Amino acid sequence: MPRRLLAALALLGGSPVAALSDEGMWLPTAPPAKVVKERYGFDLSDEFVQKAMRASVRFSGSSGGFVSPDGLVVTNHHVGSDAIQKLSTAGRNLLRDGYYARTRADELKCPDLELNVLQSIEDVTERVVKAVPASLPPDKAAAARRAVLAEIEKESLTKTGLRSDVVTLYQGGLYHLYRSKKYTDVRLVFCPEAEVASFGGDVDNFEYPRHSLDVAFFRVYENGTPAKTPDHFKWSGSGPAAGDLVFVTGHPGATQRLETVAKLKHRRDVTLPYTLARARALEAALIQYGEESPEQRRQAANDLHRVANGRKQFVGQLDGLNDPPILAAKQAAEDELRQAFRAKLSPYAPGLLLPPGELDPWQRVERVQQAFTGFEREYYLFERGDAFASDLFAAARHLVRLADELPRPNAERLREYRDSNLDSLKQQLFSPAPLYRPLEQRKLQTSLAFAAEQLGGDHLTLLKALGGRSPSRQAAELVAGTRLLDVAERKKLFDGGRAAVEASSDPMVVLARRLDADARRLRKRFEEEVDEPERQGFAAIASQRFLTLGTSVPPDATNTFRVAFGTVKGYEVDGKPVPAMTTLGGAFERSAALGGGEPFSLPKRWTDGKAKLDLSVPYNFASTADTIGGNSGSPVLNRAGELVGVNFDRNRHGLVRNFVYTDVQARHIAVHSRAVLETLSKLYDASELVKELTGR
Amino acid sequence: MPRRLLAALALLGGSPVAALSDEGMWLPTAPPAKVVKERYGFDLSDEFVQKAMRASVRFSGSSGGFVSPDGLVVTNHHVGSDAIQKLSTAGRNLLRDGYYARTRADELKCPDLELNVLQSIEDVTERVVKAVPASLPPDKAAAARRAVLAEIEKESLTKTGLRSDVVTLYQGGLYHLYRSKKYTDVRLVFCPEAEVASFGGDVDNFEYPRHSLDVAFFRVYENGTPAKTPDHFKWSGSGPAAGDLVFVTGHPGATQRLETVAKLKHRRDVTLPYTLARARALEAALIQYGEESPEQRRQAANDLHRVANGRKQFVGQLDGLNDPPILAAKQAAEDELRQAFRAKLSPYAPGLLLPPGELDPWQRVERVQQAFTGFEREYYLFERGDAFASDLFAAARHLVRLADELPRPNAERLREYRDSNLDSLKQQLFSPAPLYRPLEQRKLQTSLAFAAEQLGGDHLTLLKALGGRSPSRQAAELVAGTRLLDVAERKKLFDGGRAAVEASSDPMVVLARRLDADARRLRKRFEEEVDEPERQGFAAIASQRFLTLGTSVPPDATNTFRVAFGTVKGYEVDGKPVPAMTTLGGAFERSAALGGGEPFSLPKRWTDGKAKLDLSVPYNFASTADTIGGNSGSPVLNRAGELVGVNFDRNRHGLVRNFVYTDVQARHIAVHSRAVLETLSKLYDASELVKELTGR
């Protein structure tokens, strides 16, 4: 054990200092120029980073990049699949069949896709800290923080017209104001068949070697014409080679590397098991729903992919958190930092206890976890909406809350109803994307039943949610009775405000109304008993970390723009080498070796067109750059800033990246830029698109 | 609500008295002759029941029946599938392809199938009650009960040579000694393709209308030749018609209709959610394992079917327990009985409270549930073995415990190691059925991870189970290192006894050894804090029930022989009629309507041979008879005692039968005897088998 612990510490660099590895999802305001220079002899200029920032695109929860001056965006198929699903109908299955718009006129307008491009960053930490004095009790502190954030965002929106979000970094150690240009007219240009985009399905997901054409192209429009995007990436015709330095830009979602051991254990023992259980419940229900007919399978395809993807991730994360050396290394690093904190408190007697009755920030964070455990599942189920896996319920709740919130002053509203967020919210709420009653019913039934499994059948809020019926009957009655599938009905209730919402007899609206007091109570408890004290604890820890380590450790990922770097590189598993790249030919080989059935089938276009392809063309590649969920669709760049790949996954060994970076086996995985050109031109007859990408 | 409650009470008959419905899985010692006479004018003779008892066959956890004088047994394909899977290899996929032994010499010997046929029943309640005086404290009472049961079984085994089991009825109200003839040489005669046996897969499971040829035929041998079975069912060539009275014989597994509301709520809030979560975890893992290659899919097929079947059942049961009228009706019936109990205690002041500090039996049962909640999951995970979903671990534990238990006096052993059970145990332990390291590893990894999800990563017994590794690495090392796949290795350890087991360095054995003290502690707690006081509470409730209701309510199902009766009958769903029978033609129609893909594909033999079939032949039928899991494979008989069908399922509305019987929509489902003959002769060319069944 001690030997393994030592090995693990070595693996992790002995402390969270990342200076000697490719670790880090770096802020554009503090790029890793020094490390990159030291490790690669490359000058990472501010200009490189700033241009990459303006050419990178934020999808909701993931990434993409401009690849032409005319608003063309590349991302992953699995990032675009929500939009592709919504553009599909019983007669037109774009997910299954793919799509290519030969002319601009054929580009399909997505019902509710919003893209954002970061324009500028401002540090507002001082202003936030000043507005929330440490002396305030938690409820007052939370209100004060809410108010100052709303004020900053509103001010910026008014001043610049840009989408403005204050971002929390270092778990509350820093606050940055991000201003983004928003695009709401986004059209589908190209997507391949899902079969080839997610070749290998759940089996190959989070594995390597891979053979996936996980790309899709969209175009942003302004005033009905393609937007001008002078900041864009040049598409590399040659792509990267093994050993090359690459950069990955994008919007990594969430890591937990700077969290305390107590919080990680809470994730391991409470949050993740709950989250995984819910994913499994939905996955089983969606699989069964899809088996009932080909059309139902089509309807459920995107949900199922998302849920299965989550399930596999959570399993990997839990396995990592239950791997003793990982938490032991975390504990060692934490002890070191904590020692430094205590030494600072009593410089003449380092390690001395705190004054009696006082907790250090690590203890405060631990106390918060204990408090949260008491109502965490209720909070997720009734406030986050986990008990109601239904877009119809989500719409009903928004309508009920908008009626309450809009009359209030901006700074006092729940965050999602602030002026700075209203446009985006309305785009979601009034989306004409198709909804399917049977699918909504199945999901709702499953999630209501899941709530009962989690809380027991006598839970009072659950009983309100069920309205005296069993989960299956309640879901059936709610979905059969609601009129919210109709966008006009949603608009009517929105326009009618509080009076209309209160008068509505729509069963979804009635349910959302009936639950709102309970749900808001849970939200308030969360904000005051969890979020606020945790922020304060982490802010104190962050100060100590700045003192000890400076800014050599980038903050945890927060779904904001970051830059990572690494080497295109294979690895070994059980002594056998896994090469850095696969080839197009490898896809045919793998399909044949596994009998050619799902999930290893290839589209007819591919099997018919095999002879046209150069099978030696690199297909997917792996690099050591530091990525996480949210980096899906991230541009991968070479030293010249050209796009050489589109990131789409991590391998299994990278599933613990939430908690710890290693480059021994963990890799991110990208589609090679050359494979995209090869297949677009030889299989998809997409010469116009190729011309736009290559300028030839 | 009051109106719905009244309706529900009406539905349930207002009280548990079943006299006016087809409810009941009746003991052969107390058959429902009176009710059947009243409702159907039919004289159900003791001779009919006794013959049916000796012609009915118990599979482990399910049912079958003799259908020729030469030991031929019919059951469900899904009952036989465990044996069929074990007879399959990478090159011979009997589950997928089916099998027919044209001659006796072709009949395939199952590696570890044991069948039992009940021969006689003896009431031993008095002897058990006398041996366990009410004054004993729980630990002494449990030991005394264990001793007297062992003594009775041993005595009977010695005297008769028959397998002897004392069965607990009415949750401890009665004890019966069942003596069975055991067959251990069982051979596969016929099974159809899984495609047609479980047509519709998970989608159609627990649904109706159905189109499944869920039958398989085995033959029992004695001394190398077919056993003589003069007590057998005549196969009906015509089968039943709608409206016919039918009987179902077999071994219904477990119902909970006589349980108290507190125990049902415990099931709803604790036991079932846990059980369902585990089923979902295993199901997701098995699906993924099977997707990795056709061969892996073959290996996992039977496990997957079993787990998915459980998952669907648990979902239905939970939905029922969360349906307020069901529990309200239970509560009303319980209140009535409890009122009678209290009236008896204080006849001059009915309803008076018990003496201070004393609990009535319902309160005692409730107290037991609270106590169990504190260690229930640990008990399931470490003692029942839920944390170790691996046949290899199961073998290791048996070896470790046999070494400890066999030297002890019979009466002091854990129940499964008593002399009366040893032969059956050895047949399992030394089974040459193939095991697959990768499948064992995947299941073990999943179940270890599930244990961590349930108990948190710091649980001490879990840490012992993981041995300082993550679940995935521990499973990999255990399965890679064990030699227990080899039957000879298991025999060597068994024969070597305690010395061999203690000296073994096999990692599975080491693990089983390391965990045994913890697991036994949990078992002891369960027996003393749960099982024993619950039995005592239920015995008191049962006495009251006998006083109030006599023997008009049969005991809950306990996997022992029972007789049910009912009418072949359709029902209505949302105002639309569902007919009592489907036809062979319906299978082709449903397959075509759903695109013919999995799970609605039909074997080539069927699509090619369609023209040969009389498509109007009845295929599956539904009746009101009262069945539950364990009735799979149950013979369905007509008034003449002929076999007219083979029960294989309930419909969705019957999933709450665990808790409550209704005949409004709930039905059991059987394969029609005529469809078996039609397909055997026209599609499977099985003229010898048909001749044996029909005598022609």
Side-chain angles (χ1 to χ4, degrees):
Chain A
M1 181 67 187
R3 223 181 68 209
R4 286 193 41 219
L5 178 54
L6 280 174
L9 282 167
L11 189 95
L12 303 173
S15 85
V17 184
L20 295 176
S21 80
D22 292 341
E23 175 165 8
M25 304 164 187
W26 300 80
L27 294 172
T29 46
K34 187 161 162 281
V35 195
V36 171
K37 181 70 180 175
E38 278 171 22
R39 286 176 65 82
Y40 294 97
F42 178 75
D43 287 309
L44 180 65
S45 67
D46 280 347
E47 193 198 340
F48 183 108
V49 174
Q50 289 298 313
K51 192 191 155 181
M53 181 181 100
R54 289 190 308 271
S56 294
V57 174
R58 185 153 76 90
F59 283 69
S60 164
S62 32
S63 306
F66 288 125
V67 285
S68 95
D70 297 315
L72 188 67
V73 178
V74 72
T75 185
N76 291 146
H77 182 278
H78 81 265
V79 169
S81 64
D82 180 64
I84 299 167
Q85 172 98 35
K86 287 173 177 167
L87 287 169
S88 299
T89 59
R92 180 170 80 167
N93 192 340
L94 302 185
L95 264 189
R96 184 189 59 199
D97 302 332
Y99 186 75
Y100 173 47
R102 280 181 198 286
T103 69
R104 299 272 156 101
D106 296 325
E107 295 177 357
L108 302 175
K109 185 160 194 253
C110 302
D112 53 18
L113 190 56
E114 172 184 315
L115 304 187
N116 284 278
V117 181
L118 182 57
Q119 304 294 315
S120 72
I121 297 174
E122 196 180 313
D123 189 336
V124 294
T125 310
E126 243 191 85
R127 185 164 163 195
V128 175
V129 169
K130 212 177 280 174
V132 190
S135 58
L136 286 183
D139 58 332
K140 293 270 191 317
R145 193 181 306 276
R146 199 160 49 227
V148 68
L149 297 184
E151 190 183 278
I152 294 170
E153 290 175 352
K154 176 77 184 275
E155 240 177 61
S156 167
L157 173 68
T158 311
K159 197 171 89 187
T160 64
L162 293 171
R163 182 180 170 129
S164 300
D165 301 287
V166 176
V167 166
T168 305
L169 300 167
Y170 293 105
Q171 277 85 0
L174 287 181
Y175 291 89
H176 281 182
L177 170 63
Y178 280 52
R179 294 197 187 90
S180 310
K181 185 162 170 52
K182 183 169 63 186
Y183 296 96
T184 54
D185 182 352
V186 185
R187 307 193 188 176
L188 176 64
V189 177
F190 170 84
C191 65
E193 304 86 345
E195 234 173 347
V196 75
S198 52
F199 180 80
D202 191 48
V203 176
D204 277 3
N205 195 15
F206 297 116
E207 302 288 344
Y208 196 75
R210 283 291 272 288
H211 306 86
S212 294
L213 191 67
D214 195 354
V215 295
F217 290 90
F218 293 87
R219 192 185 305 282
V220 294
Y221 279 69
E222 286 184 306
N223 308 317
T225 57
K228 290 295 155 213
T229 46
D231 287 315
H232 63 270
F233 300 111
K234 187 173 174 317
W235 194 277
S236 164
S238 59
D244 278 6
L245 166 66
V246 290
F247 298 92
V248 181
T249 70
H251 307 84
T255 54
Q256 294 85 35
R257 293 189 200 158
L258 303 185
E259 286 184 355
T260 62
V261 171
K263 185 155 166 85
L264 288 173
K265 285 193 168 185
H266 178 84
R267 285 191 186 277
R268 179 193 68 185
D269 295 344
V270 183
T271 311
L272 270 171
Y274 163 89
T275 312
L276 176 56
R278 182 164 184 274
R280 287 188 183 125
L282 282 172
E283 184 178 13
L286 289 167
I287 288 176
Q288 199 187 355
Y289 181 81
E291 279 181 346
E292 289 171 21
S293 77
E295 166 58 12
Q296 288 190 189
R297 191 172 174 181
R298 184 193 70 73
Q299 292 168 10
N302 191 49
D303 281 337
L304 179 57
H305 187 282
R306 192 175 41 74
V307 168
N309 187 57
R311 183 252 311 146
K312 202 162 178 181
Q313 250 182 90
F314 306 142
V315 165
Q317 288 175 14
L318 268 170
D319 197 58
L321 286 177
N322 278 303
D323 200 7
I326 288 185
L327 274 197
K330 289 276 172 196
Q331 186 71 59
E334 178 168 313
D335 289 347
E336 207 178 299
L337 200 62
R338 204 163 169 184
Q339 191 67 21
F341 176 85
R342 294 195 170 206
K344 191 184 62 180
L345 280 187
S346 48
Y348 302 108
L352 201 74
L353 291 176
L354 289 170
E358 252 188 59
L359 301 177
D360 78 16
W362 288 268
Q363 289 167 319
R364 268 147 55 202
V365 170
E366 183 168 9
R367 194 65 69 88
V368 168
Q369 310 314 312
Q370 290 158 1
F372 194 24
T373 303
F375 68 100
E376 180 167 4
R377 292 184 296 178
E378 289 164 277
Y379 171 73
Y380 293 148
L381 288 162
F382 298 123
E383 169 56 22
R384 191 168 72 183
D386 284 9
F388 315 98
S390 155
D391 291 333
L392 295 165
F393 178 83
R397 168 164 284 178
H398 278 314
L399 290 166
V400 166
R401 290 199 165 170
L402 279 163
D404 276 345
E405 294 285 319
L406 287 190
R408 297 185 189 177
N410 184 48
E412 291 171 22
R413 293 180 205 157
L414 295 177
R415 174 149 204 181
E416 60 271 33
Y417 303 110
R418 285 189 212 146
D419 288 341
S420 52
N421 200 49
L422 272 190
D423 283 351
S424 303
L425 180 65
K426 279 196 255 178
Q427 179 157 12
Q428 293 304 314
L429 186 58
F430 303 142
S431 166
L435 294 172
Y436 306 96
R437 282 192 205 265
L439 179 58
E440 291 284 310
Q441 181 182 331
R442 192 70 60 92
K443 290 196 294 184
L444 186 54
Q445 165 183 342
T446 304
S447 56
L448 284 171
F450 178 74
E453 292 162 30
Q454 290 292 317
L455 303 176
D458 288 337
H459 189 281
L460 291 177
T461 308
L462 174 75
L463 289 174
K464 284 186 205 170
L466 292 177
R469 304 190 185 91
S470 73
S472 65
R473 283 202 292 136
Q474 172 70 333
E477 301 214 4
L478 287 169
V479 173
T482 187
R483 295 174 302 277
L484 295 182
L485 278 89
D486 183 359
V487 178
E489 186 68 27
R490 287 176 238 156
K491 284 210 169 113
K492 212 174 78 188
L493 284 167
F494 178 81
D495 293 338
R498 192 192 293 252
V501 167
E502 279 180 3
S504 171
S505 63
D506 190 290
M508 281 293 181
V509 176
V510 172
L511 176 67
R513 253 182 2 227
R514 188 166 66 219
L515 289 174
D516 214 40
D518 285 14
R520 280 175 180 268
R521 224 179 342 259
L522 288 164
R523 169 101 164 225
K524 195 163 172 332
R525 278 192 76 180
F526 174 75
E527 284 174 356
E528 292 174 9
E529 296 172 31
V530 180
D531 191 51
E532 184 59 34
E534 204 177 77
R535 272 172 196 256
Q536 292 181 4
F538 274 120
I541 295 171
S543 314
Q544 182 57 48
R545 195 181 283 113
F546 291 146
L547 273 179
T548 310
L549 304 169
T551 53
S552 67
V553 181
D556 265 323
T558 49
N559 202 19
T560 55
F561 182 78
R562 303 293 176 92
V563 180
F565 62 92
T567 308
V568 176
K569 195 174 168 185
Y571 54 100
E572 283 193 356
V573 172
D574 298 336
K576 277 176 240 153
V578 178
M581 303 215 181
T582 62
T583 63
L584 288 173
F588 292 93
E589 286 160 25
R590 185 156 170 77
S591 177
L594 290 162
E598 266 186 90
F600 295 101
S601 54
L602 285 167
K604 192 167 170 340
R605 184 196 308 276
W606 280 60
T607 49
D608 286 358
K610 185 181 174 189
K612 290 187 259 179
L613 288 174
D614 177 350
L615 296 176
S616 71
V617 164
Y619 194 2
N620 292 171
F621 67 90
S623 108
T624 60
D626 194 2
T627 66
I628 197 79
N631 273 118
S632 283
S634 274
V636 184
L637 312 175
N638 61 14
R639 290 171 183 242
E642 295 168 337
L643 187 145
V644 293
V646 184
N647 172 72
F648 70 97
D649 208 359
R650 280 158 291 150
N651 64 0
R652 170 162 39 103
H653 313 282
L655 282 175
V656 292
R657 276 201 178 166
N658 289 63
F659 316 114
V660 60
Y661 173 87
T662 100
D663 61 6
V664 178
Q665 297 178 305
R667 295 289 182 273
H668 81 97
I669 309 168
V671 183
H672 197 280
S673 63
R674 209 179 133 197
V676 176
L677 297 181
E678 176 77 8
T679 52
L680 281 180
S681 51
K682 307 245 178 100
L683 296 180
Y684 293 93
D685 198 17
S687 51
E688 283 303 312
L689 180 54
V690 170
K691 210 169 122 189
E692 185 172 355
L693 289 174
T694 59
R696 279 177 277 130
Chain B
M1 182 67 186
R3 223 181 68 210
R4 284 192 45 220
L5 178 54
L6 280 174
L9 282 167
L11 189 93
L12 304 173
S15 84
V17 185
L20 296 176
S21 79
D22 292 340
E23 174 165 8
M25 303 163 189
W26 300 80
L27 294 173
T29 46
K34 186 162 163 277
V35 194
V36 172
K37 178 73 181 175
E38 278 172 25
R39 285 177 67 82
Y40 293 96
F42 177 75
D43 287 309
L44 180 64
S45 67
D46 279 347
E47 192 199 337
F48 184 109
V49 173
Q50 288 298 313
K51 193 193 153 180
M53 180 181 102
R54 288 188 310 269
S56 294
V57 174
R58 185 154 77 89
F59 282 69
S60 164
S62 34
S63 307
F66 288 125
V67 286
S68 95
D70 297 315
L72 187 68
V73 177
V74 71
T75 185
N76 292 146
H77 181 278
H78 81 265
V79 169
S81 63
D82 179 64
I84 300 168
Q85 173 98 36
K86 287 173 176 168
L87 288 169
S88 299
T89 59
R92 179 171 80 168
N93 192 340
L94 301 185
L95 264 188
R96 183 190 62 199
D97 303 331
Y99 185 75
Y100 173 46
R102 285 186 192 282
T103 68
R104 299 271 157 100
D106 296 326
E107 294 177 0
L108 302 175
K109 185 161 194 249
C110 303
D112 53 18
L113 190 54
E114 172 184 317
L115 304 186
N116 284 279
V117 181
L118 182 57
Q119 303 295 314
S120 71
I121 297 174
E122 196 180 312
D123 189 334
V124 294
T125 310
E126 243 190 87
R127 186 166 163 194
V128 175
V129 169
K130 211 178 282 174
V132 191
S135 57
L136 287 183
D139 57 334
K140 293 271 189 317
R145 193 181 306 277
R146 199 160 46 226
V148 68
L149 296 183
E151 190 181 279
I152 294 170
E153 290 175 353
K154 178 77 183 277
E155 241 176 60
S156 168
L157 173 68
T158 312
K159 197 172 89 186
T160 64
L162 293 170
R163 181 178 171 132
S164 300
D165 300 287
V166 177
V167 166
T168 305
L169 300 167
Y170 293 104
Q171 277 85 0
L174 287 182
Y175 291 88
H176 280 183
L177 169 63
Y178 281 52
R179 294 196 186 92
S180 310
K181 185 163 170 47
K182 184 169 63 184
Y183 296 94
T184 54
D185 181 351
V186 185
R187 307 193 188 176
L188 176 63
V189 177
F190 170 83
C191 64
E193 304 86 344
E195 235 173 349
V196 74
S198 52
F199 180 79
D202 191 47
V203 175
D204 277 4
N205 194 15
F206 297 116
E207 302 288 344
Y208 197 75
R210 283 292 271 288
H211 306 84
S212 294
L213 191 66
D214 196 354
V215 293
F217 290 90
F218 292 87
R219 191 186 306 281
V220 294
Y221 279 69
E222 285 184 306
N223 307 317
T225 57
K228 290 295 155 212
T229 46
D231 286 315
H232 62 269
F233 300 113
K234 188 174 173 315
W235 194 277
S236 164
S238 59
D244 279 5
L245 166 66
V246 288
F247 299 91
V248 181
T249 70
H251 307 84
T255 54
Q256 294 85 35
R257 292 188 202 158
L258 302 185
E259 287 186 354
T260 63
V261 171
K263 185 155 168 82
L264 288 173
K265 286 193 169 185
H266 179 82
R267 285 190 186 278
R268 179 193 69 186
D269 296 343
V270 183
T271 312
L272 270 171
Y274 163 89
T275 312
L276 176 56
R278 182 165 184 272
R280 286 188 184 125
L282 281 172
E283 184 178 12
L286 289 167
I287 288 176
Q288 201 189 353
Y289 181 81
E291 279 180 348
E292 288 172 22
S293 78
E295 166 57 12
Q296 289 190 188
R297 189 171 176 183
R298 185 193 70 73
Q299 292 169 8
N302 190 50
D303 281 337
L304 180 56
H305 187 282
R306 191 175 40 75
V307 168
N309 187 57
R311 184 254 309 147
K312 202 162 178 180
Q313 252 184 87
F314 306 142
V315 166
Q317 289 174 14
L318 269 170
D319 197 58
L321 286 177
N322 279 303
D323 200 9
I326 288 185
L327 273 197
K330 287 276 173 195
Q331 187 70 61
E334 178 167 312
D335 289 348
E336 207 178 298
L337 200 62
R338 203 163 170 182
Q339 191 66 21
F341 176 86
R342 296 195 169 205
K344 191 183 62 178
L345 280 186
S346 50
Y348 302 108
L352 200 73
L353 290 177
L354 289 171
E358 251 188 61
L359 300 177
D360 77 16
W362 288 267
Q363 289 167 320
R364 269 148 54 202
V365 170
E366 183 168 10
R367 193 65 71 87
V368 168
Q369 310 315 312
Q370 291 158 0
F372 194 22
T373 303
F375 68 101
E376 180 166 5
R377 292 185 295 177
E378 290 164 275
Y379 171 72
Y380 293 148
L381 289 162
F382 299 122
E383 170 56 21
R384 192 168 70 182
D386 284 9
F388 314 98
S390 155
D391 291 332
L392 295 166
F393 178 82
R397 167 163 286 178
H398 277 315
L399 289 167
V400 166
R401 290 199 165 171
L402 279 163
D404 277 344
E405 294 284 318
L406 287 190
R408 297 184 189 177
N410 184 50
E412 290 172 22
R413 292 182 205 155
L414 294 176
R415 175 150 202 179
E416 59 271 33
Y417 303 111
R418 284 189 213 148
D419 288 341
S420 52
N421 201 48
L422 272 190
D423 283 352
S424 303
L425 180 65
K426 280 197 255 178
Q427 178 156 11
Q428 294 303 315
L429 186 57
F430 302 140
S431 166
L435 294 172
Y436 306 96
R437 282 192 204 265
L439 179 58
E440 291 283 309
Q441 181 182 331
R442 193 69 61 90
K443 290 196 293 184
L444 186 54
Q445 165 183 343
T446 303
S447 55
L448 284 171
F450 178 73
E453 293 162 28
Q454 290 291 317
L455 302 176
D458 288 337
H459 189 280
L460 292 178
T461 308
L462 175 75
L463 290 173
K464 285 185 204 172
L466 292 177
R469 304 189 184 92
S470 73
S472 65
R473 283 202 292 135
Q474 172 69 334
E477 303 215 1
L478 286 170
V479 173
T482 187
R483 294 173 303 277
L484 295 181
L485 278 90
D486 183 0
V487 178
E489 185 68 25
R490 287 177 238 156
K491 283 208 170 116
K492 212 174 77 189
L493 284 166
F494 177 81
D495 293 338
R498 193 193 290 253
V501 166
E502 279 180 4
S504 171
S505 63
D506 190 291
M508 282 291 182
V509 176
V510 172
L511 177 66
R513 251 180 6 223
R514 189 165 66 221
L515 288 173
D516 213 40
D518 285 15
R520 280 175 180 267
R521 229 184 332 267
L522 288 163
R523 169 101 164 227
K524 196 162 170 337
R525 277 192 76 181
F526 173 75
E527 285 174 354
E528 292 173 8
E529 296 172 32
V530 180
D531 191 53
E532 184 58 36
E534 203 176 79
R535 272 172 197 257
Q536 292 181 4
F538 274 120
I541 294 171
S543 313
Q544 183 57 47
R545 194 181 284 114
F546 292 146
L547 274 178
T548 311
L549 305 169
T551 53
S552 68
V553 181
D556 266 323
T558 49
N559 202 20
T560 55
F561 182 78
R562 303 294 177 93
V563 180
F565 63 92
T567 307
V568 176
K569 196 173 166 185
Y571 54 101
E572 282 193 357
V573 173
D574 299 335
K576 277 175 239 153
V578 178
M581 303 217 181
T582 62
T583 62
L584 287 173
F588 292 94
E589 285 161 24
R590 185 155 171 77
S591 177
L594 289 162
E598 266 188 89
F600 295 101
S601 54
L602 285 167
K604 190 165 172 340
R605 186 197 306 275
W606 280 60
T607 49
D608 287 358
K610 184 178 173 190
K612 291 188 259 179
L613 287 173
D614 176 350
L615 296 176
S616 71
V617 164
Y619 193 3
N620 292 169
F621 67 89
S623 106
T624 60
D626 193 1
T627 65
I628 197 79
N631 273 118
S632 283
S634 275
V636 184
L637 311 175
N638 61 15
R639 289 172 184 240
E642 295 168 338
L643 187 145
V644 293
V646 183
N647 172 72
F648 70 96
D649 207 0
R650 282 157 291 152
N651 64 0
R652 168 161 41 104
H653 313 282
L655 282 175
V656 291
R657 276 202 177 165
N658 289 62
F659 316 114
V660 60
Y661 174 88
T662 99
D663 62 6
V664 178
Q665 297 177 304
R667 295 289 182 274
H668 81 97
I669 310 168
V671 183
H672 197 280
S673 62
R674 208 179 135 197
V676 176
L677 297 182
E678 177 77 7
T679 52
L680 281 180
S681 50
K682 306 240 178 107
L683 295 180
Y684 293 93
D685 197 18
S687 52
E688 282 304 311
L689 180 53
V690 169
K691 211 169 123 189
E692 185 172 354
L693 289 174
T694 58
R696 279 177 276 128

